[in-house]
């Protein structure tokens, strides 16, 4: 007549497996012979891979503090877990993922597109930087005290021999990668153009409309077919911007002062190939949102933890988060 279904969770329990070592005495020589324990059972009492994997998931992906992880284990399994066990699980995962991270780097630098970005991070009460190099399949994260090219030279020297397309937000350090072609993050320009539209700049309305028009042409073949149109219109808008924007004003010291609108127009003009590369070539992304998405979890972690107390802890987080992000992108749970 009717059915009613209730989806619920079974009571979680820890499963304990005991491995017993047998012995026997040789009747000939009298020597005691012992059986062997499994390689993973190295101590009289220990936590298994499932527990250690869950600890890493809760700490890295779910941003839980050590205290909250301990409370969760006590609530779910009636088995409290101590700080040393949590730290040990994270340390073991960090060591085991070293080769995985190296493989990620190799695959990443062999790919067509790489997104690059960085964000500030509090490490040992000092402002340092979390850098990301990534695409839709691979994520490589690393920390460094510097934001610029010295960080890339120290942790990702392979980038300076990369021959694909590097997507970024026009930060000066990325221009030092001479072997790659470059494309710029257009949403950054759209936000700046919106600010100029609010100031009543007509050229900004035209440029914003052109970029959105080309972005909304989802058929790449049609987009490339219209690249000559986009190129001509783009250059015409740049010329109109120079006419509409006030000229630089001389100052007593330093370079002549320019308005924000003129600075934006000059940047659009100087990097017109890089801005329009998503139209001029196939398989070039419109934005650098991939890098921003891969950096965003670190901000959640920092809000929960406040800061990373040690450099080692920050580097460990970067490696494990990069590995977990890569696995998620490739469909592994």
């Amino acid at each position: 007549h009717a059915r009613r279904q209730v989806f619920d969770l079974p009571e979680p329990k820890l499963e304990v497996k005991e491995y017993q070592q047998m012995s026997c005495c040789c009747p000939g020589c009298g020597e005691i012979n012992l059986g062997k324990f499994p390689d993973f059972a190295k101590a009289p009492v220990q936590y298994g891979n499932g527990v250690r994997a869950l600890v890493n998931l809760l700490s890295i992906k779910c941003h839980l503090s050590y205290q909250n992880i301990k409370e969760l284990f006590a609530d779910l399994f009636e088995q409290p877990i101590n700080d040393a066990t949590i730290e040990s699980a994270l340390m073991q995962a960090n060591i085991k993922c070293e080769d995985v991270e190296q493989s990620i780097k190799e695959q990443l630098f062999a790919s067509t597109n790489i997104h690059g970005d960085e964000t500030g991070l509090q490490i040992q009460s000092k402002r340092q930087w979390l850098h990301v190099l990534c695409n839709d399949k691979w994520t490589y994260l690393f920390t460094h005290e510097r934001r610029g090219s010295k960080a890339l030279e120290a942790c990702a020297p392979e980038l300076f021999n990369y021959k694909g397309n590097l997507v970024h937000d026009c930060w000066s350090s990325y221009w030092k990668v001479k072997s790659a072609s470059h494309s710029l993050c257009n949403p950054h320009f759209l936000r700046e153009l919106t600010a100029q539209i609010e100031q009543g700049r007509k050229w900004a309305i035209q440029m914003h409309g052109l970029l959105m028009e080309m972005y909304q042409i989802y058929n790449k073949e049609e987009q490339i077919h219209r690249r000559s149109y986009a190129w001509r219109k783009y250059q015409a808008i740049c010329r109109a911007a120079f006419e509409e924007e006030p000229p630089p004003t001389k100052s007593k010291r330093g370079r002549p002062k320019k308005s924000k609108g003129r600075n934006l127009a000059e940047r659009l003009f100087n990097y017109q190939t890089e801005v329009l590369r998503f139209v001029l070539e196939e398989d070039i992304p419109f934005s650098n949102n991939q890098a921003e998405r891969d950096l965003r979890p670190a901000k959640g972690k920092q809000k929960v933890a406040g800061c990373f107390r040690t450099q080692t802890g920050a580097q460990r987080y970067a490696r494990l988060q990069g590995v977990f992000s890569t696995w998620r992108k490739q469909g592994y749970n």
Side-chain angles (χ1 to χ4, degrees), residues 246-259:
T249 56
K250 294 183 178 180
S251 57
K252 294 181 180 179
R253 294 183 179 180
R255 295 175 294 180
K257 187 176 180 179
K258 302 175 184 177
S259 66

Side-chain angles (χ1 to χ4, degrees), residues 60-61 104 132 134-141 290 293-295 297 318-332:
I60 304 300
K61 294 290 290 182
I104 289 172
V132 64
C134 63
N135 54 29
D136 60 344
K137 293 292 185 183
W138 313 95
T139 305
Y140 173 51
L141 291 160
Q290 181 66 65
R293 287 197 298 269
D294 288 337
L295 284 176
R319 172 178 291 172
L320 294 177
Q321 175 61 29
V323 170
F324 292 171
S325 172
T326 297
W327 285 341
R328 181 63 68 187
K329 288 176 180 178
Q330 298 187 9
Y332 297 103

Side-chain angles (χ1 to χ4, degrees), residues 279-304:
V279 179
L280 304 175
E281 299 178 18
E282 294 186 12
D283 300 323
I284 302 299
F286 177 77
S287 73
N288 197 29
N289 287 345
Q290 181 66 65
E292 295 180 1
R293 287 197 298 269
D294 288 337
L295 284 176
R296 197 166 295 131
K299 311 309 284 187
K301 178 69 173 177
Q302 184 170 265
K303 285 182 179 179
V304 171

Side-chain angles (χ1 to χ4, degrees), residues 124-177:
Q124 294 178 316
S125 301
K126 296 180 181 179
R127 183 177 176 82
Q128 299 192 36
W129 298 91
L130 177 67
H131 296 256
V132 64
L133 297 171
C134 63
N135 54 29
D136 60 344
K137 293 292 185 183
W138 313 95
T139 305
Y140 173 51
L141 291 160
F142 60 92
T143 61
H144 200 272
E145 60 184 6
R146 303 293 291 272
R147 183 186 181 187
S149 57
K150 288 187 177 180
L152 298 175
E153 292 169 359
C155 300
E158 303 92 337
L159 182 64
F160 293 91
N161 296 319
Y162 178 62
K163 300 186 184 302
N165 178 65
L166 181 60
V167 188
H168 54 90
D169 56 4
C170 210
W171 178 241
S172 58
S173 301
Y174 295 112
W175 294 112
K176 295 182 180 180
V177 181

Side-chain angles (χ1 to χ4, degrees), residues 14 47 69-70 72-82:
L14 279 179
Y47 286 106
I69 292 175
K70 291 191 292 184
L72 184 66
F73 266 78
D75 291 341
L76 290 182
F77 308 116
E78 298 181 356
Q79 176 66 43
I81 190 171
N82 58 40

Side-chain angles (χ1 to χ4, degrees), residues 1-5:
H1 179 70
R3 291 190 180 95
R4 297 182 181 182
Q5 296 181 343

Side-chain angles (χ1 to χ4, degrees), residues 53-284:
L54 180 58
V55 166
N56 278 271
L57 182 70
L58 295 174
S59 176
I60 304 300
K61 294 290 290 182
C62 300
H63 308 155
L64 295 190
S65 65
Y66 282 24
Q67 182 62 36
N68 286 335
I69 292 175
K70 291 191 292 184
E71 290 179 0
L72 184 66
F73 266 78
D75 291 341
L76 290 182
F77 308 116
E78 298 181 356
Q79 176 66 43
I81 190 171
N82 58 40
D83 289 351
T85 301
I86 298 173
E87 183 70 14
S88 174
L90 293 169
M91 288 175 60
Q92 289 180 38
N94 184 55
I95 294 171
K96 289 179 179 294
C97 286
E98 183 176 359
D99 291 339
V100 180
E101 182 185 60
Q102 185 60 37
S103 176
I104 289 172
K105 290 175 65 176
E106 292 172 1
Q107 297 291 338
L108 181 63
F109 291 119
S111 59
T112 304
N113 290 297
I114 291 180
H115 297 256
D117 204 357
E118 66 287 324
T119 188
L121 211 60
Q122 290 293 323
I123 303 175
Q124 294 178 316
S125 301
K126 296 180 181 179
R127 183 177 176 82
Q128 299 192 36
W129 298 91
L130 177 67
H131 296 256
V132 64
L133 297 171
C134 63
N135 54 29
D136 60 344
K137 293 292 185 183
W138 313 95
T139 305
Y140 173 51
L141 291 160
F142 60 92
T143 61
H144 200 272
E145 60 184 6
R146 303 293 291 272
R147 183 186 181 187
S149 57
K150 288 187 177 180
L152 298 175
E153 292 169 359
C155 300
E158 303 92 337
L159 182 64
F160 293 91
N161 296 319
Y162 178 62
K163 300 186 184 302
N165 178 65
L166 181 60
V167 188
H168 54 90
D169 56 4
C170 210
W171 178 241
S172 58
S173 301
Y174 295 112
W175 294 112
K176 295 182 180 180
V177 181
K178 304 295 185 182
S179 58
S181 61
H182 295 256
S183 60
L184 297 179
C185 179
N186 283 285
H188 275 79
F189 288 116
L190 291 175
R191 287 193 289 269
E192 293 185 72
L193 287 167
T194 299
Q196 294 305 309
I197 292 172
E198 293 172 354
Q199 299 296 322
R201 296 293 191 265
K202 295 180 180 179
W203 73 269
I205 299 175
Q206 296 175 339
M207 183 64 78
H208 191 286
L210 175 64
L211 293 177
M212 289 304 300
E213 177 186 354
M214 300 313 298
Y215 170 67
Q216 290 169 358
I217 299 176
Y218 295 104
N219 187 334
K220 200 69 179 179
E221 292 182 1
E222 182 183 352
Q223 192 179 74
I224 294 175
H225 178 71
R226 299 185 65 187
R227 60 188 175 187
S228 58
Y229 155 78
W231 189 266
R232 290 194 307 271
K233 189 171 182 179
Y234 184 96
Q235 292 181 325
I237 296 172
C238 286
R239 290 193 294 269
F242 292 136
E243 294 177 2
E244 187 176 354
E245 291 294 336
T249 56
K250 294 183 178 180
S251 57
K252 294 181 180 179
R253 294 183 179 180
R255 295 175 294 180
K257 187 176 180 179
K258 302 175 184 177
S259 66
K260 291 184 178 180
R262 191 167 191 89
N263 281 327
L264 175 59
E266 289 184 359
R267 200 161 2 113
L268 287 166
F269 179 77
N270 292 334
Y271 298 116
Q272 52 190 300
T273 301
E274 288 76 15
V275 174
L276 287 178
R277 194 175 295 280
F278 77 100
V279 179
L280 304 175
E281 299 178 18
E282 294 186 12
D283 300 323
I284 302 299

